[in-house]
Amino acid sequence: WYQRRVRGELAKLAFFNDIVVGAVCCRADLQEGQRKLYIMTLGCLGPYRRCGVGKKLLDHVMKIAKDDGQYDAIFLHVQISNDEALQFYNKFGFKIIDTKQEYYKRIEPADAYVLEKSLKGCEA
């Protein structure tokens, strides 16, 4: 994992005409004996949404997990009011598995859904 982090595979920027328009950053996580890839942040500037930037970044994350072959799932937190993000991740097979009360400290609503995509028994 350290080598991947050093090489920059777990953090990527998306550029358009030398301007950063999107980014993703992940980390390996171990929960209850399962190895998971946690998406700490994935975002795209508003004017570049629906242009495939987010899909490219998420495809990159899923490729890391697939190539590694040892991840059980990919997961992330999404603010409960972020319908656009919920729809985006749903298209890629992510499911709501939990709700964390008061997850966010400086935004309202403060609650977050935990979304997860299982990688065992299916193609990432």
Side-chain angles (χ1 to χ4, degrees):
W1 178 78
Y2 178 74
Q3 288 297 341
R4 275 212 174 121
R5 187 167 172 220
V6 169
R7 289 194 315 250
E9 292 179 24
L10 294 179
K12 284 288 184 191
L13 300 175
F15 291 88
F16 181 76
N17 288 338
D18 296 327
I19 297 170
V20 175
V21 297
V24 64
C25 187
C26 307
R27 72 168 187 247
D29 199 62
L30 191 62
Q31 292 183 353
E32 300 173 6
Q34 288 193 323
R35 190 164 176 247
K36 299 181 179 185
L37 193 57
Y38 177 60
I39 300 174
M40 296 184 292
T41 188
L42 188 153
C44 179
L45 293 177
Y48 298 91
R49 291 186 185 147
R50 302 200 187 285
C51 296
V53 175
K55 179 185 182 314
K56 281 280 199 192
L57 292 169
L58 188 55
D59 285 346
H60 174 74
V61 170
M62 292 195 294
K63 182 176 182 338
I64 288 170
K66 180 182 176 186
D67 290 352
D68 181 275
Q70 299 300 310
Y71 285 105
D72 296 294
I74 301 170
F75 76 109
L76 69 150
H77 293 87
V78 174
Q79 189 178 23
I80 61 169
S81 62
N82 191 341
D83 293 332
E84 190 175 359
L86 293 168
Q87 290 172 8
F88 173 79
Y89 289 109
N90 184 58
K91 287 191 295 189
F92 293 94
F94 286 80
K95 305 291 182 210
I96 296 171
I97 62 164
D98 197 6
T99 302
K100 299 290 184 185
Q101 303 295 318
E102 302 297 320
Y103 178 78
Y104 296 106
K105 304 298 181 215
R106 295 181 181 92
I107 58 175
E108 288 294 328
D111 301 343
Y113 290 128
V114 179
L115 275 60
E116 184 172 283
K117 177 182 175 70
S118 177
L119 300 177
K120 295 301 176 185
C122 66
E123 196 67 28

